[in-house]
């Protein structure tokens, strides 16, 4: 029987601080064949520099292609600055109802991102900007109603696919009805499943219908659904996301180093709980040392039976499936 513990690195996407990848980070990628890397603005000081960083990252992989992910949403959440990568915020396009303008601006960005080696954009944002005090989502949402948001979500997915880049819907099950930023504290939202079905669900459903590749959850507690935050909730992932949306692609966590995930315990236990709840990919921000500790804890949990072989096989199947798709769309 295959020793799956040697493949567990494929379930992690991790980041690093600064303009250049630190040597321990690069060694970790090579030794554990980590699933991919997320780039932040500080990692992208210039277009030529980030191209070289991506080349260095890719050179560490033997038999698989790594995810090279960014949050290139437009506006203030733009990891790549300057033309042609940078474009306006979602709120601006939404206010103008200019789907065609968004399509053209985003197309230029996608073509450029693909040309330097990025293959996964953690966008579009599906959230409805319902709480105007919400600083986390300020300028990041296309509108306040599903009808306003859906055309941009669909256009984003189709434009990325045409440019040979994967898309990811976020932040499931919907973050727009709270002012609390999960970077600093667990978000809490009072609505129940009926409200969700008629409102937050709709942009995500449209994205699934348009063929999105991944879905990202976030650290939010839906008081009318489950006491456990979405990151660790079987109900939200297995019932609401898998069954009701009918999505069978990879589900990725929001950054597990965020303070909003603290309800699930220290970094190791929260990683295991997120995975056992149904996530297939585990995302970590700039603190690669935390991601390394989480990885060691995760491997031990698998070897001691706290993570089942079936759950690992399921997740690895989804990850390898999307990477096979990535290989195919990158062919000339």
């Amino acid at each position: 029987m295959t020793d799956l513990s040697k493949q567990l690195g494929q379930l992690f996407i991790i980041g690093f601080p600064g303009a250049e990848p630190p040597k321990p980070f690069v060694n970790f990628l090579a030794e554990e064949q980590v699933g991919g890397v997320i780039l932040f603005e500080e990692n992208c000081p210039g277009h030529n520099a980030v191209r070289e960083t991506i080349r260095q990252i890719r050179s560490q992989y033997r038999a698989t292609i790594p995810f090279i992910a960014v949050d290139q949403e437009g506006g203030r959440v733009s990891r790549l600055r300057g033309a042609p990568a940078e474009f306006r915020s979602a709120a601006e396009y939404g206010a103008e109802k200019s789907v065609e303008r968004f399509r053209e601006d985003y197309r230029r960005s996608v073509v450029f991102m693909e040309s330097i080696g990025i293959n996964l954009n953690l966008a579009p944002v599906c959230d409805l900007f319902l709480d105007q005090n919400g600083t986390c989502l300020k300028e990041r949402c296309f509108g306040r109603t599903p009808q306003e948001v859906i055309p941009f979500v669909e256009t984003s997915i189709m434009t990325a696919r045409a440019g040979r880049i994967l898309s990811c819907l976020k932040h499931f099950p919907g973050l727009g009805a709270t002012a609390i930023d999960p970077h600093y504290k667990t978000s809490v939202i009072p609505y129940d499943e009926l409200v969700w079905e008629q409102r937050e669900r709709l942009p995500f459903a449209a994205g699934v219908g348009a063929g999105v590749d991944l879905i990202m959850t976030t650290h939010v507690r839906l008081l009318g659904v489950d006491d456990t935050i979405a990151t660790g909730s079987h109900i939200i992932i297995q019932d609401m996301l898998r069954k009701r949306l009918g999505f069978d692609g990879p589900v990725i966590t929001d950054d597990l180093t965020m303070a909003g995930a603290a309800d699930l315990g220290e970094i190791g236990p929260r990683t295991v709980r997120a995975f056992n709840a149904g996530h297939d990919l585990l995302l970590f921000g700039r603190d690669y040392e935390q991601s390394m500790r989480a990885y060691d804890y995760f491997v031990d949990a698998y070897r001691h039976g706290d993570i089942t072989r079936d759950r690992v096989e399921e997740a690895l199947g989804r990850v390898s499936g999307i990477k096979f798709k990535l290989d195919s769309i990158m062919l000339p």
Side-chain angles (χ1 to χ4, degrees), residues 171-191:
H171 306 82
F172 192 86
L175 189 58
T178 178
I180 301 172
D181 185 341
H183 287 85
Y184 307 108
K185 187 178 179 181
T186 302
S187 300
V188 179
I189 298 178
Y191 63 73

Side-chain angles (χ1 to χ4, degrees), residues 152-185:
F152 291 99
V153 168
E154 294 172 334
T155 297
S156 177
I157 294 164
M158 292 185 288
T159 302
R161 183 187 305 124
R164 304 192 296 183
I165 282 184
L166 303 175
S167 295
C168 178
L169 305 180
K170 61 187 187 186
H171 306 82
F172 192 86
L175 189 58
T178 178
I180 301 172
D181 185 341
H183 287 85
Y184 307 108
K185 187 178 179 181

Side-chain angles (χ1 to χ4, degrees), residues 17-28:
E20 297 181 5
K23 187 171 180 56
F25 172 85
V26 174
N27 291 342
F28 182 58

Side-chain angles (χ1 to χ4, degrees), residues 76-314:
R76 66 183 179 87
V77 183
S78 297
R79 307 315 189 195
L80 298 160
R81 294 294 180 180
E86 192 174 359
F87 51 98
R88 296 187 301 161
S89 71
E92 291 182 71
Y93 294 109
E96 296 176 1
K97 298 181 171 55
S98 50
V99 176
E100 289 305 317
R101 177 68 180 274
F102 169 70
R103 186 196 317 273
E104 183 57 29
D105 292 351
Y106 188 46
R107 184 191 67 80
R108 285 194 293 269
S109 183
V110 164
V111 168
F112 176 76
M113 286 191 283
E114 192 275 338
S115 75
I116 64 172
I118 291 165
N119 53 33
L120 169 59
N121 191 16
L122 299 172
V125 171
C126 288
D127 301 303
L128 309 176
F129 194 45
L130 299 171
D131 191 325
Q132 304 300 295
N133 296 315
T135 57
C136 178
L137 292 178
K138 186 178 181 181
E139 302 177 10
R140 299 173 64 190
C141 302
F142 290 106
R144 300 182 63 182
T145 69
Q147 293 72 28
E148 292 170 339
V149 171
I150 285 171
F152 291 99
V153 168
E154 294 172 334
T155 297
S156 177
I157 294 164
M158 292 185 288
T159 302
R161 183 187 305 124
R164 304 192 296 183
I165 282 184
L166 303 175
S167 295
C168 178
L169 305 180
K170 61 187 187 186
H171 306 82
F172 192 86
L175 189 58
T178 178
I180 301 172
D181 185 341
H183 287 85
Y184 307 108
K185 187 178 179 181
T186 302
S187 300
V188 179
I189 298 178
Y191 63 73
D192 59 18
E193 292 182 53
L194 180 59
V195 172
W196 179 81
E197 284 279 356
Q198 298 174 344
R199 196 175 66 185
E200 275 81 0
R201 174 185 175 276
L202 300 180
F204 287 100
V208 171
V212 77
D213 305 290
L214 298 91
I215 295 179
M216 177 187 287
T217 66
T218 194
H219 316 307
V220 60
R221 178 179 291 106
L222 297 190
L223 297 181
V225 176
D226 194 356
D227 290 336
T228 303
I229 63 172
T231 316
S233 171
H234 291 265
I235 294 172
I236 290 174
I237 297 171
Q238 304 296 351
D239 184 11
M240 296 171 70
L241 196 160
R242 292 292 185 201
K243 293 180 182 177
R244 300 195 198 183
L245 283 187
F247 181 68
D248 194 40
V251 177
I252 183 172
T253 67
D254 207 338
D255 181 357
L256 286 169
T257 68
M258 287 180 181
D263 277 16
L264 300 182
E266 296 298 322
I267 194 66
R270 81 175 65 163
T271 302
V272 172
R273 288 188 65 183
F275 183 74
N276 283 338
H279 291 92
D280 307 294
L281 285 164
L282 304 158
L283 179 66
F284 298 82
R286 301 168 180 83
D287 187 347
Y288 68 89
E289 292 181 343
Q290 279 208 69
S291 64
M292 292 166 71
R293 289 196 298 272
Y295 174 78
D296 289 341
Y297 187 98
F298 191 87
V299 172
D300 285 344
Y302 173 68
R303 288 174 173 162
H304 287 95
D306 297 324
I307 298 170
T308 68
R309 183 181 179 89
D310 286 349
R311 175 80 266 271
V312 171
E313 287 179 337
E314 177 185 54

